Amino acid sequence: AQKVTQAQTEISVVEKEDVTLDCVYETRDTTYYLFWYKQPPSGELVFLIRRNSFDEQNEISGRYSWNFQKSTSSFNFTITASQVVDSAVYFCAHGDSGGSNYKLTFGKGTLLTVNP
Amino acid sequence: NAGVTQTPKFRILKIGQSMTLQCTQDMNHNYMYWYRQDPGMGLKLIYYSVGAGITDKGEVPNGYNVSRSTTEDFPLRLELAAPSQTSVYFCASSTQGGRTGNTIYFGEGSWLTVV
């Protein structure tokens, strides 16, 4: 079965610091998908990124960047120059690859607090 | 853009009561899901559906029932509510599973307290 581990339960930084959220996954699938979601204090889940297992290119979107390393089964998320609005719980998730079902397995989340 | 809509947003139930959490999506997605989120535990899949008339159990289905009579709607029924069902419930949908790996979009959540 798939498993997603976010070892960092809570991280606290000061505004403008860079911060990296770790995500390690376990899977037997050869093709799979990885996701990051943001859950701000208001509670909704906001999709941030999807990465396919056959595409190991890193991605940058503004202050956000993702480092996917298949060799270490990691999909880490870095926020550069953090802002108070980045304060949220961040979830990493693994998506089943195929067959008649498709669902996400979530990590337990990392609470990021960015202090002014 | 309505997306995935859940109702109610907040509800307090007494032990033993029953209720239905409503979920509807307007994106013509085949796949729909119900997750629950307990503090510090991430999200766990309760039930999911790959299309109208088809449902299947997820990781934590006990105490819940679902139905999928239309593509748009996927209600979650709680029978005989218990304090252990106090949680935040998220409905979600995606276009297609399998090799396409489409993104799963979530509703805003329903906060349920059983007292």
Side-chain angles (χ1 to χ4, degrees):
Chain A
Q2 288 78 12
K3 182 179 179 181
V4 177
T5 301
Q6 295 179 254
Q8 304 149 307
T9 304
E10 295 186 36
I11 300 175
S12 182
V13 300
V14 177
E15 203 169 20
K16 297 185 182 178
E17 284 185 26
D18 298 346
V19 57
T20 295
L21 309 181
D22 298 332
C23 173
V24 175
Y25 61 92
E26 297 175 24
T27 183
R28 290 185 177 180
D29 296 332
T30 54
T31 302
Y32 50 88
Y33 306 89
L34 299 168
F35 301 81
W36 277 94
Y37 285 86
K38 174 182 179 179
Q39 187 176 41
S42 51
E44 72 272 23
L45 283 162
V46 179
F47 164 73
L48 294 178
I49 190 172
R50 179 187 73 222
R51 172 61 67 212
N52 301 326
S53 58
F54 46 85
D55 180 4
E56 290 193 65
Q57 283 188 339
N58 293 326
E59 184 158 339
I60 298 175
S61 176
R63 296 184 297 106
Y64 295 171
S65 62
W66 290 269
N67 182 8
F68 175 36
Q69 293 195 336
K70 208 168 180 178
S71 59
T72 57
S73 298
S74 65
F75 186 41
N76 297 336
F77 172 33
T78 297
I79 302 174
T80 302
S82 60
Q83 300 176 0
V84 173
V85 293
D86 295 327
S87 296
V89 179
Y90 291 87
F91 291 98
C92 180
H94 171 285
D96 284 347
S97 62
S100 61
N101 56 36
Y102 175 61
K103 50 191 181 293
L104 291 181
T105 300
F106 283 82
K108 293 184 178 181
T110 297
L111 172 62
L112 173 65
T113 302
V114 181
N115 298 298
Chain B
N1 293 336
V4 179
T5 304
Q6 294 179 232
T7 57
K9 193 168 179 69
F10 300 97
R11 181 73 185 267
I12 298 175
L13 275 181
K14 293 184 179 179
I15 294 171
Q17 285 185 323
S18 299
M19 76 159 296
T20 299
L21 296 175
Q22 301 292 343
C23 177
T24 187
Q25 52 91 10
D26 62 359
M27 298 174 282
N28 200 32
H29 285 174
N30 292 324
Y31 284 64
M32 296 188 74
Y33 315 82
W34 275 104
Y35 285 88
R36 60 176 286 173
Q37 182 182 20
D38 299 322
M41 296 301 292
L43 282 81
K44 293 188 177 180
L45 183 64
I46 305 172
Y47 271 95
Y48 67 102
S49 168
V50 302
I54 306 171
T55 62
D56 207 349
K57 296 178 180 179
E59 186 181 356
V60 289
N62 292 343
Y64 306 95
N65 281 300
V66 294
S67 60
R68 185 91 182 274
S69 57
T70 66
T71 299
E72 295 78 20
D73 300 309
F74 191 41
L76 177 70
R77 177 89 177 155
L78 282 73
E79 304 281 4
L80 299 175
S84 62
Q85 293 178 302
T86 294
S87 189
V88 182
Y89 292 84
F90 287 95
C91 181
S93 71
S94 67
T95 55
Q96 186 175 339
R99 293 166 182 82
T100 60
N102 281 299
T103 302
I104 294 183
Y105 293 95
F106 287 84
E108 294 187 342
S110 297
W111 275 252
L112 176 66
T113 302
V114 182
V115 296

